[in-house]
Amino acid sequence: MTGRALLPILLAAILIGAIPLFVTANTVLNFLVFTLIIALAAQGWNILGGYGGQFSFGHAAFFGTGAYAAAILQTRFGINAWAAFCLGIAAGAAIGWIIGYLSFRSGLRGSYFALVTLAFAEVFRILANASAVTGGAAGLLVKLDVRPENFQFSSRAVFVWIALALVVAVLVLTAWIERSRFGAQLVAVRENEGAARALGVDALRVKLLAIALSGGVTAAAGALYVQYFLYIDATIAYGTWISVEALLAPIIGGAGTVLGPLVGAVTLHGLGEITKTLAGRVPGIDLVAFGALLIVAVAFAPDGIIGLARRLRARIGRGGGA
Amino acid sequence: MLYSPAIVAEAIVNGLMTGAVYALVALGLTLVYGVLHIINFAHGALLTAAMFAVWVLHSAFGLDPYLAILPLAPLFFALGYAIQRFVIGPASHGDDGNILLVTLGLSILIENALLAGFRSDTRTIATDYGFQVVEVGPLLLSMPRLIGFAAAVAVTILLWMTLSRTDTGRAIRAVAKEKLGASLVGINVGHVYAVTFGLGCACLAVAACLLMPTFYVNPRVGNAFVLVAFTIVVLGGMGSIPGALIGGLFIGVVESLCGLYLGDSLGQIGIFLIFILVLLVRPTGLFGAKA
């Protein structure tokens, strides 16, 4: 990997990582942690949806699995929180692989893949809401015991840095995927699966690897959510809200780009806060803005904010040369 | 768990009655899919909007839910026409993935606009006939749900006749089969698309009017219906109108029986498992090779 690819990542990391050094207001730090969790979930979606072109409408299946796995392993089996966190990621990747195996084997793509992922997330939500091990509709509380070895910290700033570290790790992973053989094959499958197969790309294997990675990353976001809020229930874990968030951020920021999901998540939630301040605490008003923004983005900026920026830079570059 | 035959029979009949209204919701979805080849994710939000419209007409003007069909069906036809013509069509540049995202955006927009306007309270309409029952042999059937069943079947037949007998119907079927050919013989494809979308929304308005005497409305209510409607559409064959009716009745019965045997919280799981199974096991058989 070249320095050129890593420079924007480093810049973003320093920019966000410095905020807790200057701002100590809880609202700001809460906003940062939450936005970074969304960004992480969105980065997971981006691997499968952005690079692989497989639009999932049910990434809640992975987010929720990561969250529940981390919470259940800690509370019911007394496993160390850090280990539970890692196992949560593994569980998300496994669920990803299974859903992928079932749907890609059946040749589902486009709208049908979107529908089947949506249905899987819904099945998980109903099961989690009814079963005893997940605490049913009452949800699961992780016991408050603030110690670093429990993945609990008294300072919100530490959570910002941990969330940021995970986001940066996935940024580097995505940048590596973009330049790897696997990434090239994934993009080839997105652009024209038939042609990719004719050239000897094992499309099923490539898509399975992508969905497992994607599921693992989004599960990390879910597990982090549990560590931060110390609570999870079926509506949070497997609700449509997170499926939509995971998809919106990359689409707005730029699907199939390294920084797209992060840029999208920050833009969306920044905009959400602004709308809430302007319109008062009307419920749902921020989501009205999200919906409108999604339509506008698809209509006028199909490559998201990153795409717009690239086009702008190309135009300026041309103007300067002429 | 064993129930007496009378209870099971009642569950089945109740399921059929719910299923007919499900079918009506699915009808709009399957029609739009059959012609435009798009999955309309805004369908559920539009149903919620229609149900709120019924509620507003009733609470503000005292209009009976059944009579609300008269103003709402044309109104929602116009709304659907406008949405396809001026939002979905231009914004999606004809790309399937974009259409999916635009209708998702619309659904988020409509659902949350309703949430902002009406808050998350659940509302119902009280009518004189809401709890009337009819005795049919050994079964006691809810009057408004029986009306819903009859009206849903009637609308399905009406839609079927419109598509097979009228010029507009012929134009719609022509566009569904061969877009380019249809435009070459002088059919305005953009107009036909919008008319189809409008018809789908009109079906929703009728479904909302039939639902409201016995059901409730809140900003999220459409979500439950839309997933069921997707299942019906996939089960009955994407784009098939008789398929939507049969699929709807079947799903209604499945839900009712699952509710009886598994309890309310797990009742809907049967539907989603059927949905996933159908998608996984018979993808090409049920919705063509183009998928």
Side-chain angles (χ1 to χ4, degrees):
Chain A
M1 226 178 303
T2 60
R4 256 186 84 109
L6 292 175
L7 190 66
I9 299 176
L10 195 68
L11 258 148
I14 293 171
L15 215 63
I16 298 174
I19 296 176
L21 298 178
F22 303 104
V23 188
T24 49
N26 275 344
T27 43
V28 175
L29 296 181
N30 272 334
F31 169 81
L32 265 185
V33 173
F34 188 70
T35 307
L36 286 170
I37 289 175
I38 297 298
L40 191 60
Q43 284 179 307
W45 188 93
N46 189 39
I47 295 176
L48 181 69
Y51 290 98
Q54 314 294 318
F55 283 17
S56 152
F57 276 33
H59 254 53
F62 311 131
F63 183 88
T65 300
Y68 270 122
I72 290 171
L73 288 171
Q74 276 177 80
T75 54
R76 305 233 189 265
F77 299 93
I79 290 173
N80 173 277
W82 293 92
F85 183 84
C86 297
L87 289 171
I89 295 175
I95 291 288
W97 192 87
I98 292 168
I99 291 179
Y101 185 79
L102 291 172
S103 9
F104 295 139
R105 272 272 310 246
S106 310
L108 294 183
R109 46 182 136 143
S111 311
Y112 301 99
F113 180 69
L115 282 178
V116 85
T117 48
L118 187 73
F120 270 114
E122 234 5 59
V123 166
F124 288 151
R125 188 181 62 76
I126 296 172
L127 286 178
N129 206 32
S131 110
V133 71
T134 54
L140 262 183
L141 274 167
V142 176
K143 211 174 118 216
L144 181 73
D145 184 2
V146 183
R147 273 184 298 173
E149 61 263 39
N150 287 344
F151 206 140
Q152 294 182 25
F153 306 93
S154 53
S155 144
R156 285 169 212 270
V158 175
F159 262 107
V160 173
W161 289 320
I162 290 177
L164 183 64
L166 285 164
V167 168
V168 168
V170 181
L171 284 175
V172 174
L173 172 74
T174 316
W176 172 80
I177 287 176
E178 207 170 63
R179 281 155 185 77
S180 71
R181 189 180 172 78
F182 161 66
Q185 292 181 334
L186 191 58
V187 170
V189 167
R190 173 186 76 192
E191 294 300 328
N192 189 335
E193 190 170 331
R197 284 159 79 138
L199 289 171
V201 174
D202 185 348
L204 180 65
R205 197 190 62 89
V206 168
K207 286 197 280 188
L208 280 180
L209 186 53
I211 197 171
L213 276 173
S214 177
V217 171
T218 303
L224 194 64
Y225 184 99
V226 164
Q227 290 313 132
Y228 188 64
F229 293 97
L230 298 176
Y231 173 76
I232 195 78
D233 69 20
T235 323
I236 300 171
Y238 290 122
T240 30
W241 74 278
I242 185 66
S243 298
V244 168
E245 290 265 10
L247 166 156
L248 268 180
I251 299 284
I252 302 288
T257 62
V258 174
L259 284 167
L262 179 61
V263 170
V266 171
T267 311
L268 275 175
H269 284 274
L271 185 85
E273 289 303 311
I274 293 168
T275 359
K276 272 194 240 168
T277 325
L278 289 181
R281 292 270 156 189
V282 182
I285 199 75
D286 49 336
L287 288 167
V288 172
F290 287 10
L293 193 64
L294 175 59
I295 300 171
V296 170
V298 173
F300 301 109
D303 301 317
I305 296 170
I306 300 279
L308 275 184
R310 277 186 191 153
R311 250 190 285 168
L312 205 66
R313 204 167 58 192
R315 191 169 298 170
I316 290 167
R318 260 206 317 274
Chain B
M1 260 187 291
L2 274 173
Y3 290 101
S4 75
I7 292 180
V8 176
E10 200 158 301
I12 291 175
V13 173
N14 272 326
L16 284 175
M17 292 193 294
T18 315
V21 181
Y22 281 165
L24 200 51
V25 177
L27 209 58
L29 203 61
T30 209
L31 185 67
V32 169
Y33 182 83
V35 180
L36 284 78
H37 303 288
I38 63 168
I39 290 181
N40 177 17
F41 267 98
H43 208 65
L46 286 164
L47 175 67
T48 315
M51 288 170 84
F52 267 113
V54 178
W55 183 82
V56 166
L57 286 180
H58 182 267
S59 57
F61 307 106
L63 190 65
D64 185 85
Y66 293 131
L67 289 178
I69 293 179
L70 297 175
L72 286 183
L75 184 75
F76 269 76
F77 176 84
L79 181 72
Y81 187 96
I83 288 178
Q84 165 60 29
R85 194 93 212 221
F86 303 115
V87 181
I88 301 178
S92 55
H93 313 292
D95 178 89
D96 279 3
N98 284 346
I99 295 175
L100 212 59
L101 295 174
V102 170
T103 58
L104 178 71
L106 275 172
S107 115
I108 300 170
L109 185 76
I110 296 169
E111 186 182 308
N112 289 288
L114 290 171
L115 179 66
F118 293 94
R119 303 301 156 105
S120 53
D121 309 340
T122 291
R123 293 153 209 267
T124 52
I125 291 182
T127 53
D128 306 333
Y129 48 79
F131 292 104
Q132 269 182 32
V133 286
V134 199
E135 226 174 299
V136 182
L139 305 172
L140 284 177
L141 304 179
S142 145
M143 181 72 175
R145 296 182 68 188
L146 204 60
I147 294 176
F149 177 81
V153 173
V155 170
T156 312
I157 293 169
L158 194 70
L159 190 69
W160 177 245
M161 299 283 275
T162 310
L163 284 183
S164 50
R165 297 285 160 84
T166 65
D167 279 349
T168 313
R170 269 185 214 109
I172 289 175
R173 284 185 295 139
V175 170
K177 281 232 169 65
E178 178 54 59
K179 191 168 68 175
L180 186 65
S183 75
L184 282 175
V185 295
I187 295 172
N188 181 344
V189 173
H191 175 70
V192 168
Y193 273 3
V195 166
T196 310
F197 208 88
L199 282 175
C201 289
C203 285
L204 281 181
V206 177
C209 295
L210 297 177
L211 274 169
M212 275 316 279
T214 53
F215 214 70
Y216 57 88
V217 59
N218 66 41
R220 311 241 176 263
V221 74
N223 288 335
F225 281 95
V226 78
L227 283 168
V228 174
F230 282 141
T231 314
I232 293 166
V233 168
V234 168
L235 193 69
M238 289 274 192
S240 154
I241 286 172
L245 184 62
I246 296 164
L249 296 176
F250 178 72
I251 289 296
V253 173
V254 167
E255 187 191 44
S256 179
L257 289 179
C258 282
L260 183 65
Y261 287 104
L262 298 173
D264 270 345
S265 59
L266 278 173
Q268 281 215 318
I269 210 161
I271 296 178
F272 295 117
L273 290 180
I274 290 180
F275 184 38
I276 293 176
L277 274 179
V278 172
L279 277 175
L280 294 182
V281 178
R282 290 208 51 199
T284 47
L286 284 169
F287 38 77
K290 267 182 109 174

